[in-house]
């Protein structure tokens, strides 16, 4: 855990490099323009910067790396110029993946700079005289736990040296180098610097549920590119669910033939994706969720079920009763063959068997299963599942695999050579470690729940005050962000993964933000009383970098920003999206599990509505909330801030009339009409509050009550979206009344 | 050729439905706002409308179908309401492709409307009581020449009836129905209407060159969706080139292993794409270009070459000398095995053997080949290639395939049962027909040459004054738009294909625009003296519909508009793209074959520069040119038009200062700095000219000369892009001086 020793050094370097500067927000997002921070020097008060992708901020000299290095960073004074003579050579004994990845690095460098670089394809036999960049690797990297992924990047004004024990480290160095790429009026350069870097955790994952909504191969590949860009190294592929069985099986073809509506990965596609991931230094851990979440298995194989069939592919979402029969030897025989087939297909040491959310109802209803439990002294369904898991574990062991499962598999009957994925609460991670199990943390990283980035970012698996002993801490392998797919399609899934997962990747790689113990982990905002000034500074800096990285991530074809105007054009019924965009910019989908509570979806319901176009962590709303906070924290005296707040509120107040015209032509928007009206009222109320504050007038006693009723009305979601500036206007109203 | 009889009827209907109306241009594109047409009633003078995707213009009642039906259209007065009870049933004896396509139609309908439609998956055994829409099909459609693709769509306020002899016709009816989808304040509807429709030509193709730059499977699939949306039915897949051999061969694996840099389609991927295309009613015609354009074959198999190797994959672009040896029996043995393998893989009746651009130099240099020619009385290289082609034709015949080739294969030694693809000039199509060959026209549809849509649109294969007899006309099977890929990547290719190919599809399906005989077919604009008022009306109407269809096409993931802001963000180095967008909106890539003349590219040169972000047929520039034309045609008296012209010119004049700031941070833009400066000067000159015109002042005699020198300077491309408003400003300058 070198991180905890080194991080303060990095932080100090960063803060030394961070004089107070002005920041500009993107004009197209609203009215927040060119504001100068008002708090005392040394505090980073600016809004997240939108206006530059460049890797040092030209006013402050800050590096824009994400994840931040987990080791010493020594910046120099010089610049290594990147021009059309740039060449690269690889030395040493790397795995062959380094060659296509070197080539890909050159192509990305050329793409960003427009330079016609001289080298086409880097191969093992490529020879270069005096290369601009030398990559030196000791040995081939193995895609396994605790492999060395460290690298040392040494940039002088003369050349770039990237050294690593394994090619896996070198790949991380490539990403750091591309993030360091910068420019001035003379051209492109990399600042002289020395970076020693290595990951904090060995398991840094993204899970994609390709089962509830199928995710085509290109979706997976572009997300693997994005993962590599932020140094994630485990792709956890959730492949089977009640709603679909997404793997071709040659041993039991009825699985995919009857269980997938024709939407599954062929084995050739799977091998292709594994190869693609391997080349990027990413392990692929498949998940076959059993014994619950398994309806789709039973469509072709009802004989495996706890109750007689027939079964159909589930079209709804939730927790369902169909379950494999844990008392049937036929089931274990089947699993032995099927998982053996999968074990040969997926080379990773680990295999995930799900194990979550088993209702046990079909066990209760089957007298034979009840008899089996009595006969074998199995006291309850938990113990029955543990029996099932121990049998499955033996099967996996026979095929050379280590079992991973969701926290429900944690049971005293299971040996310690399994890995527990903690999801429902962080306590399961702590319990697992204390009982000697290795674990990975997913609780707090559920990106499908549409929480803001900072909530995930303060979720430190091992904060300084962790109750775990140093030996227990070693059992925490890392973490994973799960992307469940009830409410996403190929068109929207990237916007739920990125850019937030880049910040989560930083937690896994390096960051040691003092953790915040959230009351439930299911908050929508970090409660303000838990935010210290130090954390605020770190969060602002994280958001600043995130807004740069999000644009870089687009080069992989990721659609988190790319599809936004496309979806707005469809909603608006034409090319002029201004009114719709003004509205959708300040709303977010409802969070946690509120979407299905407000409207029942099936797997074929449309995912093209306002709620789908709206994105997590709406930046325009965040900036506005930040602006109001700063304004009020400064005693509401800053005229420029007040003017900006007013201007923005007027835009929202006046948007409704224009939006109504669009809604008349585009009934798909009807569901948000009253919400748009409430946004207008809320903004008008905000203006009144602001004017009262500015003129230091005490409003009429009735005013505040009426104003608060406007605020309350605006809080109510419609169309499963909610207005994200409600808290800021509420603060203005309260301030006006005090 | 029913088209020629029926089209006048449609045109009359359309024009009856087209009262003069105002049109709005997209505010985000510039300053052209809310202009009312000034010409006399009955002329469609408005700019292409950007502001609505809806399928009837709410002011004019015009249908927005593309391609226009090629048969009677009888609109009614009523509306069939689409709501959450909408159901669909299929009757008759269709091919099974109708079921997934019906399902896909429902999902697209749900996606556009946000309606939670009740049906999940339509299957053969799906039963529906009183369906909202009944699809009735007589027999399975076969993917072959001259198959019946007609349909009849009958919408009453009670229900929708779609009848077709084959499912292929029904699929076209689905697309028409989705284009008819409209909305009012009460919700979505389809107008009552009766349409009888069938294609004018049986071969309506798009060719994609996946060899010079590899195009991943998802690029192909989304373009197949786009093709189906505009009723194209032939995907011509250019699979081999000097720069890459893109098909997995099991018989000769060295072909793809050595010839592709690892970028090729596996046979499973090819089967998957053929299945995907089949489901959409699209034939897949593969091309294996021989004997020239074949360097990549020779990397693994130098023994096939006309001169000894070794050979390497070609990285440059152009016409190269490496050629198969037409005198070698080993070559024919090889081709028999390889093309046999491909004949089994690709089910279509036709196979394309390229045959273009054989330099013959390696034949000249090989004494054995020269001896062979003497021995066999082969007088020249054309005759030698004809000998080669006749041998290949026999091989293909043996595998049950009909040979297609580029026009160079036309030679008296070849029998008539081959198909000639006319590319270099339309004369080859005429010659072919007169000699009894079937042919398809590609000359005039080269979408890689970045010409404007209207140039392609007036390229009628069989205009009323065609010199061909009725029997000869029957030999013209149709046409194909070729997308060569020297200068496109996965990121940009869609923007060269769409939306222009939708207009070309209309030419193949229905339109009988009086053709314009362009002097060379390589113009950049239609010469104004060739434009009649009737054609102008048709072109305006085409552009109006095209701007609606381009947005609908995005639902398939097509990136023609989607990637534009993404590429601008990369160029601008951040999220604020306003200055870059203002500039790139009025430039286009240089046309025809000027790009390589101005800068040498390789297959790994970056395709991320201004020239790559810029799109063909820049709409902002086209609208401005149209505005200036209308203003001057009206005697330069319209004050509102003048104000709009002035406002737009001021935006361009003042953009340069802002853009320079961006260029300082983003050197990738340096190459267009002087062009941006020239745009500013040009626009300032335009303002001066306009002010002179408005004030009816005669400018100083020196002014016009100076102004014209500014115009001339602005005409010169830089960074391989050119300013597209030069002709309009030139007209203003000339008008000011007269």
């Amino acid at each position: 855990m070198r991180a905890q020793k080194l991080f303060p050094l990095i932080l100090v370097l960063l803060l030394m490099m961070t004089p107070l500067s002005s920041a500009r927000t993107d004009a197209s997002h609203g009215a927040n323009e060119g504001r100068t921070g008002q708090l005392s020097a040394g505090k980073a008060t600016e809004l997240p910067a939108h206006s530059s992708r460049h890797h040092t901020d030209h006013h402050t000299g800050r590096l824009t790396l994400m994840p931040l290095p987990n080791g010493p960073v020594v910046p120099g004074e010089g610049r290594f110029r990147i021009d059309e003579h740039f060449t690269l050579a690889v030395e040493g004994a790397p795995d062959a993946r380094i060659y296509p990845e070197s080539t890909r690095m050159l192509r990305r460098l050329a793409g960003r700079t427009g330079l016609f670089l001289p080298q086409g394809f880097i191969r093992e036999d490529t020879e270069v005289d005096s290369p601009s960049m030398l990559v030196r690797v000791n040995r081939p990297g193995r895609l396994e736990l605790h492999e060395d992924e460290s690298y040392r990047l040494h940039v002088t004004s003369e050349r770039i040296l990237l050294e690593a024990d394994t090619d896996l480290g070198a790949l991380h160095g490539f990403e750091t180098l591309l993030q360091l790429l910068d420019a001035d009026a003379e051209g492109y350069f990399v600042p002289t610097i020395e970076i020693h870097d290595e990951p904090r955790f060995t398991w840094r994952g993204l899970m994609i549920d390709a089962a509830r909504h199928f995710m085509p191969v290109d979706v997976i590949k572009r997300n693997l590119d994005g993962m590599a860009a932020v140094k994630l190294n485990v792709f956890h592929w959730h492949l089977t669910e009640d709603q679909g069985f997404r793997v071709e099986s040659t041993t039991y073809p009825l699985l995919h033939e009857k269980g997938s509506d024709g939407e599954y990965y062929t084995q050739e596609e799977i091998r292709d994706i594994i190869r693609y991931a391997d080349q990027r230094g990413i392990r692929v851990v498949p998940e076959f969720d059993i014994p619950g979440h398994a309806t789709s298995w039973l469509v072709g194989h009802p004989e495996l079920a706890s109750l007689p069939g027939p079964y159909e592919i589930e079209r709804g979402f939730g927790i369902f009763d169909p379950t494999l029969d844990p008392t049937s030897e036929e089931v274990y025989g089947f699993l032995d063959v099927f998982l053996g087939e999968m074990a040969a297909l997926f080379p990773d040491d680990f295999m995930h068997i799900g194990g979550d959310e088993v209702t046990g109802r079909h066990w209760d209803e089957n007298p034979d299963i009840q008899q089996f439990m009595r006969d074998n002294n199995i006291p309850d369904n938990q113990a029955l599942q543990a029996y099932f898991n121990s049998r499955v574990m033996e099967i996996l062991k026979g095929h050379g695999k280590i079992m991973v499962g969701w926290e429900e598999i944690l049971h005293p009957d299971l040996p310690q050579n399994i890995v527990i994925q903690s999801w429902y609460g962080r306590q399961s991670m702590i319990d697992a470690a204390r009982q000697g199990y290795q674990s990975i943390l997913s609780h707090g990283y559920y990106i499908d729940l549409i929480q803001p980035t900072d909530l995930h970012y303060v979720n430190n698996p091992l904060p300084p005050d962790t109750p775990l002993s140093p030996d227990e801490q070693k059992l925490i392998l890392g973490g994973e962000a799960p992307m469940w797919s009830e409410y996403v399609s190929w068109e929207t899934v990237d916007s739920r993964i990125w850019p937030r997962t880049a910040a989560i990747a930083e937690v896994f790689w390096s960051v040691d933000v003092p953790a915040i113990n959230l009351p439930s982990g299911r908050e929508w905002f970090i409660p303000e009383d838990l935010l210290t000034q130090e954390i605020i500074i770190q969060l602002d800096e994280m958001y600043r970098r995130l807004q740069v990285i999000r644009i870089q991530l687009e080069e992989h074809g990721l659609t988190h920003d790319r599809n936004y105007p496309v979806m707005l054009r469809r909603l608006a019924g034409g090319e002029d999206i201004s009114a719709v965009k003004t509205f959708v910019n300040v709303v977010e989908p409802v969070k946690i599990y509120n979407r299905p509570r407000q409207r029942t979806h099936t797997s074929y319901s449309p995912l093209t509505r306002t709620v789908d176009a709206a994105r997590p962590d709406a930046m325009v709303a965040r900036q506005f909330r930040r602006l109001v906070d700063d304004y009020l924290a400064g005693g509401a005296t800053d005229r420029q801030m007040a003017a900006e707040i007013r201007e923005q509120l007027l835009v929202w107040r006046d948007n409704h009339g224009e939006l109504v015209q669009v809604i008349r032509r585009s009934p798909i928007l009807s569901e948000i009409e009253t919400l748009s009206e409430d946004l207008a009222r809320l903004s008008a109320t905000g203006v009144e509050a602001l004017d009262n504050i500015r003129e230091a007038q005490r409003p009429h006693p009735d005013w505040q009550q009426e104003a608060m009723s406007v605020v309350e009305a605006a809080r109510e979601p419609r169309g499963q979206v909610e207005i994200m500036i409600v808290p800021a206007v509420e603060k203005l109203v309260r301030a006006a009344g005090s």
Side-chain angles (χ1 to χ4, degrees), chain A:
Chain A
M1 296 295 136
R2 251 177 98 187
Q4 290 172 25
K5 273 173 274 166
L6 291 170
F7 185 75
L9 172 64
I10 302 165
L11 186 64
V12 167
L13 277 166
L14 266 168
L15 293 180
M16 283 173 59
M17 295 159 74
T18 311
L20 187 66
S21 71
S22 69
R24 291 198 155 261
T25 61
D26 176 21
S28 71
H29 274 193
N32 303 337
E33 275 281 328
R35 188 168 63 82
T36 303
Q38 295 300 309
L39 302 189
S40 60
K43 290 181 183 172
T45 61
E46 63 275 19
L47 303 180
H50 277 225
S51 61
S52 169
R53 75 161 173 206
H54 287 303
H55 312 96
T56 57
D57 180 305
H58 288 274
H59 303 288
T60 65
R62 288 176 297 188
L63 297 172
T64 303
L65 299 174
M66 183 169 274
L68 285 171
N70 181 38
V73 175
V74 184
E77 298 283 310
R79 295 176 170 194
F80 178 86
R81 290 280 159 195
I82 309 277
D83 60 21
E84 298 205 345
H85 306 293
F86 183 88
T87 54
L88 178 150
V90 179
E91 254 185 29
D95 183 270
R97 67 169 72 87
I98 196 80
Y99 304 108
E101 282 299 288
S102 298
T103 302
R104 192 166 75 94
M105 201 278 285
L106 287 178
R107 293 290 80 75
R108 290 163 73 195
L109 193 59
R112 293 186 192 187
T113 61
L115 293 168
F116 283 46
L117 300 181
Q119 288 175 297
F121 294 81
I122 308 282
R123 299 213 170 82
E124 194 171 350
D125 59 1
T126 301
E127 293 193 8
V128 194
D129 280 340
S130 315
S132 319
M133 174 166 181
L134 180 62
V135 183
R136 196 178 281 152
V137 176
N138 287 340
R139 63 174 177 86
R142 291 182 301 270
L143 284 178
E144 60 184 37
L145 228 51
H146 304 299
E147 175 58 299
D148 189 323
E149 296 179 80
S150 70
Y151 68 92
R152 172 174 164 267
L153 182 63
H154 191 191
V155 182
T156 69
S157 54
E158 304 300 318
R159 58 104 218 240
I160 299 171
L161 177 63
L162 173 60
E163 291 180 310
D165 191 41
T166 73
D167 46 87
L168 301 174
L171 301 194
H172 296 314
F174 285 158
E175 300 297 339
T176 300
L177 184 76
L178 285 168
Q179 291 184 356
L180 287 170
L181 177 68
D182 204 343
D184 58 23
E186 287 168 50
Y188 291 94
F189 68 86
V190 178
T192 60
I193 200 162
E194 179 153 2
I195 297 178
H196 292 246
D197 198 6
E198 65 174 352
R200 181 185 183 200
F201 291 109
T202 191
W203 189 303
R204 306 179 304 281
L206 169 67
M207 189 213 81
I208 295 180
D209 171 4
R212 288 185 174 86
H213 279 100
F214 184 63
M215 296 294 157
V217 169
D218 58 304
V219 174
I220 303 299
K221 284 187 172 177
R222 70 191 185 219
N223 277 288
L224 288 167
D225 285 350
M227 289 176 66
V230 295
K231 303 185 172 63
L232 292 173
N233 70 344
V234 179
F235 170 49
H236 170 173
W237 203 354
H238 186 81
L239 283 164
T240 67
E241 259 301 339
D242 296 306
Q243 294 82 5
F245 192 97
R246 306 301 182 189
V247 194
E248 178 188 32
S249 169
T250 56
T251 54
Y252 294 108
L254 292 180
L255 286 170
H256 66 276
E257 286 171 13
K258 299 258 188 181
S260 75
D261 304 300
E263 293 190 315
Y264 62 89
Y265 304 102
T266 65
Q267 297 206 353
E268 180 179 297
E269 286 173 330
I270 288 170
R271 278 188 290 270
D272 180 42
I273 284 173
I274 291 169
R275 197 182 311 120
Y276 194 91
D278 180 294
Q279 194 179 302
R280 285 150 184 79
I282 296 172
R283 295 167 43 213
V284 177
V285 177
E287 177 181 348
F288 309 99
D289 201 348
I290 46 178
H293 284 288
T295 309
S296 66
W297 303 55
L298 307 178
V299 184
H301 288 281
E303 73 277 11
L304 306 177
S306 297
L307 287 181
Y311 290 86
E312 292 196 352
I313 294 174
E314 179 59 52
R315 305 299 178 192
F317 298 122
I319 303 174
F320 301 97
D321 296 331
T323 315
L324 302 193
D325 182 350
T327 69
S328 156
E329 286 306 315
E330 188 183 354
V331 165
Y332 297 112
F334 182 101
L335 288 175
D336 193 20
V337 172
F338 171 71
L339 294 176
E341 182 189 3
M342 293 299 114
L345 183 61
F346 290 91
D348 199 70
D349 292 340
F350 294 82
M351 188 171 278
H352 203 300
I353 58 103
D356 54 321
E357 299 182 325
V358 177
T359 68
R361 280 196 204 100
H362 283 196
W363 297 346
D364 298 341
E365 292 172 27
N366 181 330
D368 292 342
I369 293 176
Q370 295 302 310
Q371 188 60 48
F372 179 91
M373 290 170 73
R374 281 189 296 274
D375 292 349
N376 292 277
N377 295 317
I378 295 174
D380 55 25
N381 285 339
Q382 281 70 36
L384 182 58
Q385 192 182 346
Y387 165 77
F388 175 81
N389 290 340
S390 64
R391 294 288 303 267
V392 172
M393 200 206 68
E394 287 301 321
I395 290 170
L396 290 182
K397 204 168 144 192
H399 298 296
K401 300 295 181 189
I402 302 165
M403 187 166 93
V404 192
W406 300 101
E407 65 184 63
E408 284 94 329
I409 72 163
L410 184 61
H411 191 278
D413 291 354
L414 262 77
Q416 288 178 346
N417 59 340
I418 59 171
V419 175
I420 305 297
Q421 185 159 11
S422 176
W423 72 275
Y424 192 76
R426 126 186 322 253
Q427 190 59 41
S428 62
M429 176 191 81
I430 293 168
D431 293 346
R434 286 185 169 154
Q435 294 168 40
Y437 294 91
Q438 293 184 313
S439 68
I440 44 184
L441 182 63
S442 280
H443 175 77
Y445 305 123
Y446 264 49
I447 47 181
D448 62 315
L449 301 186
I450 320 286
Q451 291 166 300
T453 314
D454 54 9
L455 258 180
H456 300 306
Y457 193 66
V458 300
N459 184 46
N460 188 341
L462 290 176
D465 64 351
T466 177
L468 296 176
S469 73
D471 276 351
E472 288 165 350
Q473 288 183 36
K474 286 182 189 149
L475 296 169
I476 312 302
L477 300 177
E480 268 187 20
M483 181 66 234
W484 299 105
S485 69
E486 285 93 337
Y487 308 110
V488 289
S489 68
W490 64 273
E491 191 172 39
T492 60
V493 65
D494 294 3
S495 72
R496 276 55 179 152
I497 299 176
W498 307 105
R500 290 179 302 156
T501 297
I504 295 172
E506 181 160 294
V507 178
F508 300 158
W509 183 271
S510 59
V511 161
D512 196 17
V513 180
I516 294 181
N517 291 313
L518 298 167
S520 75
R522 297 195 163 176
E523 287 74 12
W524 304 10
F525 298 107
I526 302 175
E528 293 189 15
D529 56 345
L530 299 180
L531 285 172
T532 65
Q533 197 57 40
E534 186 194 356
I535 294 175
I536 290 173
I537 290 169
Q538 281 186 287
L539 295 181
D540 281 351
E541 169 62 14
M542 177 274 287
Y543 274 112
R544 181 190 71 76
R545 289 178 289 119
L546 192 66
Q547 293 303 91
V548 177
I549 299 299
R550 77 184 297 158
I551 293 178
Q552 290 173 9
L553 285 168
E554 292 188 289
E555 78 187 354
H556 308 294
L558 289 166
T559 63
H560 48 290
D561 289 333
R562 198 181 300 250
N563 281 355
Y564 185 54
V566 176
M567 298 188 76
L568 297 183
R569 279 193 283 273
R570 182 166 45 213
L571 286 173
E575 201 171 333
D576 182 359
I577 58 173
S578 54
V580 176
K581 187 176 178 188
T582 298
F583 176 80
V584 183
N585 270 351
V586 291
V587 301
E588 290 177 9
V590 292
K591 298 178 189 61
I592 321 296
Y593 296 106
N594 284 309
R595 181 164 178 172
R597 288 196 190 111
Q598 293 171 15
R599 184 158 188 180
T600 302
H601 283 247
T602 66
S603 52
Y604 50 83
S605 299
L607 294 168
T608 54
R609 295 157 56 227
T610 305
V611 59
D612 304 299
R615 294 173 299 178
D617 223 352
M619 276 298 126
V620 172
R622 164 169 284 277
Q623 288 162 20
F624 183 77
R625 294 195 302 267
R626 202 74 181 73
L627 179 63
V628 168
D629 283 348
D630 286 352
Y631 174 65
L632 295 176
T637 56
D638 189 286
R639 282 165 182 277
Q640 198 188 330
M641 282 189 189
E644 282 173 39
I645 293 170
R646 196 169 199 282
E647 192 185 343
Q648 178 65 77
L649 287 168
L650 292 178
V651 168
W652 292 325
R653 188 194 67 185
D654 299 338
N655 190 59
H656 182 61
E658 211 188 315
L659 187 54
V660 163
Q661 299 309 311
V662 180
I663 295 171
R664 292 289 166 272
R665 297 193 309 266
S666 278
I668 191 171
L669 291 168
S670 306
E671 60 184 351
I672 53 84
E673 180 167 346
T674 64
L675 195 67
S676 166
E677 202 175 348
D678 281 354
L679 174 64
R681 283 209 201 98
L682 179 74
S683 303
T685 300
V687 171
E688 289 169 14
L690 186 70
D691 289 349
N692 278 320
I693 294 168
R694 292 208 294 184
E695 292 154 27
Q697 285 181 343
R698 187 143 194 104
H700 189 279
D702 292 348
W703 176 85
Q704 191 162 18
Q705 198 182 339
E706 281 167 31
M708 282 307 297
S709 74
V710 170
V711 168
E712 287 311 315
R715 219 189 285 281
E716 186 207 337
R718 264 139 290 171
Q720 297 90 63
V721 296
E722 56 190 339
I723 299 171
M724 297 309 293
I725 58 157
V726 173
V729 175
E730 182 179 0
K731 284 178 187 171
L732 289 174
V733 168
R734 292 194 190 282
S738 67

